[in-house]
Amino acid sequence: MSDKFYTFTSPEGKTRKIPALAFKAAAVLAVAAVGFGVYAAYAFMRYHGLQQEFADYRAHKAEYEERMQSLLDDNEKMLRDMNEMATLESRLRRALIRDPEAGLQLGTAAQDESTAVKPEYMGQGGPAGMNMPEQLGVLEVQNKNIKQQIDDKKASMKELLAAMEKRSNSLNAFPDLWPTEGGVISSDYGGRMAPIGGGYDWHPGIDIAVDFGAPVYAAAAGTVEMACWNGGYGRYVKLDHGNGYETAYGHMSGIAVEEGQVVRKGDFIGFAGSSGYSTGPHVHFEVLVDGEYVDPMYMLSCK
């Protein structure tokens, strides 16, 4: 090999000289061609993979979005339930602690247990981003944990209500009496489709479907706060039971009490009907704690 040529000898014995510059250029081009071919093959495979991923995402996008919305709706409702039950549980505990017959020790012990953080609730998190399937997985775990906490709250409240049952005099002012004779729940508490016109509607109580004119009873002892026509509620009665508890009864066909009147638990206060914003005979029943609506089913001991 000279400074300017590469010398090659063929099998036939012929000698051929190739300029060194041309040989190096050809070698570089060959290496580049091989590299480009490898890259092109990789890029094609990657593009094909991305196309497949995108096709899979589009195929499941509507399903993911529907599932995501369902989980978010469940999450919102359960968190609202947790808040309402926490409010109610707090009032029950305070009532037990204040009541010498119920026993301070029971109320304090239950409160200590309720404020203890259980190992399964020791959550962790961070700012890392997630794709939609990962978000679905996280929401499912969150909702599972919230449901378990709600179940624990219900168990705790049953224990508190059992203690409250020992207080017969005070219990008369606790709104746990079913306000009609029988009947079925025709609309639950919370979000629902509006009964007239459709669309989303927030229902702050439960509807108990009974015969027109069926008697309606006070869920607890108290004072009649309102007894009048009240817009969409129609003929309406609201009772103040003290200690932050109130109940309301709507859509009645007739009212049997007047404002300022004192009633006992189970007293007759009116007739079921379909007055106001209503599609048929029933009683709309609400429970308020410290001015906030709660699900009446947390209170009612039986149907």
Side-chain angles (χ1 to χ4, degrees):
M1 181 181 70
S2 67
D3 293 338
K4 297 184 179 180
F5 295 92
Y6 286 103
T7 302
F8 297 92
T9 302
S10 67
E12 294 81 8
K14 294 181 179 180
T15 300
R16 187 173 181 182
K17 292 182 178 182
I18 299 176
L21 184 60
F23 179 81
K24 291 179 180 178
V28 170
L29 288 174
V31 172
V34 171
F36 178 77
V38 172
Y39 174 77
Y42 167 78
F44 175 78
M45 293 177 63
R46 177 61 179 160
Y47 173 76
H48 181 73
L50 290 174
Q51 286 288 92
Q52 185 62 45
E53 289 180 11
F54 183 68
D56 291 343
Y57 170 76
R58 291 189 61 182
H60 296 91
K61 182 174 182 293
E63 178 185 342
Y64 286 151
E65 289 179 344
E66 182 179 357
R67 178 63 178 155
M68 176 75 75
Q69 189 58 52
S70 175
L71 288 170
L72 288 172
D73 291 343
D74 290 345
N75 188 279
E76 180 181 356
K77 182 180 184 302
M78 287 192 293
L79 288 174
R80 188 183 299 117
D81 288 346
M82 277 288 294
N83 182 60
E84 291 169 357
M85 283 192 290
T87 299
L88 176 57
E89 184 184 29
S90 176
R91 292 200 61 83
L92 287 172
R93 292 190 189 285
R94 289 201 303 270
L96 283 172
I97 291 172
R98 286 197 302 265
D99 181 20
E101 295 181 5
L104 179 62
Q105 184 176 1
L106 184 150
T108 305
Q111 190 172 32
D112 290 342
E113 182 179 353
S114 73
T115 55
V117 179
K118 298 185 178 182
E120 59 266 34
Y121 303 148
M122 297 290 282
Q124 299 179 3
M130 296 179 291
N131 57 36
M132 189 171 290
E134 291 172 337
Q135 292 177 27
L136 290 175
V138 169
L139 275 174
E140 287 173 348
V141 171
Q142 288 178 352
N143 287 2
K144 181 180 178 180
N145 287 340
I146 294 172
K147 184 179 183 303
Q148 181 60 51
Q149 293 179 61
I150 289 175
D151 291 341
D152 290 345
K153 283 286 186 186
K154 287 181 179 179
S156 175
M157 288 171 63
K158 285 181 180 178
E159 178 185 348
L160 292 170
L161 287 172
M164 291 282 287
E165 287 178 356
K166 298 178 181 179
R167 303 164 53 191
S168 58
N169 293 332
S170 298
L171 192 60
N172 286 332
F174 185 76
D176 63 347
L177 180 70
W178 192 262
T180 60
E181 294 177 355
V184 297
I185 296 177
S186 54
S187 185
D188 292 316
Y189 174 88
R192 65 173 183 176
M193 292 293 293
I196 301 175
Y200 179 81
D201 178 45
W202 174 255
H203 193 222
I206 59 172
D207 289 340
I208 305 171
V210 290
D211 291 334
F212 191 93
V216 179
Y217 304 105
T223 303
V224 179
E225 188 175 344
M226 294 177 65
C228 57
W229 184 278
N230 185 18
Y233 284 103
R235 292 181 178 86
Y236 172 88
V237 170
K238 188 174 185 180
L239 303 179
D240 182 357
H241 307 290
N243 292 319
Y245 294 109
E246 295 171 294
T247 57
Y249 314 75
H251 307 301
M252 292 192 290
S253 60
I255 297 174
V257 292
E258 58 186 21
E259 292 183 12
Q261 180 177 337
V262 176
V263 297
R264 295 170 300 179
K265 176 179 284 190
D267 276 358
F268 170 65
I269 61 173
F271 303 91
S274 187
S275 58
Y277 183 82
S278 172
T279 61
H282 71 285
V283 176
H284 172 83
F285 178 62
E286 296 176 352
V287 175
L288 297 93
V289 179
D290 290 337
E292 300 291 334
Y293 294 104
V294 300
D295 189 341
M297 299 307 295
Y298 299 151
M299 302 282 197
L300 296 174
S301 56
C302 63
K303 177 179 172 181

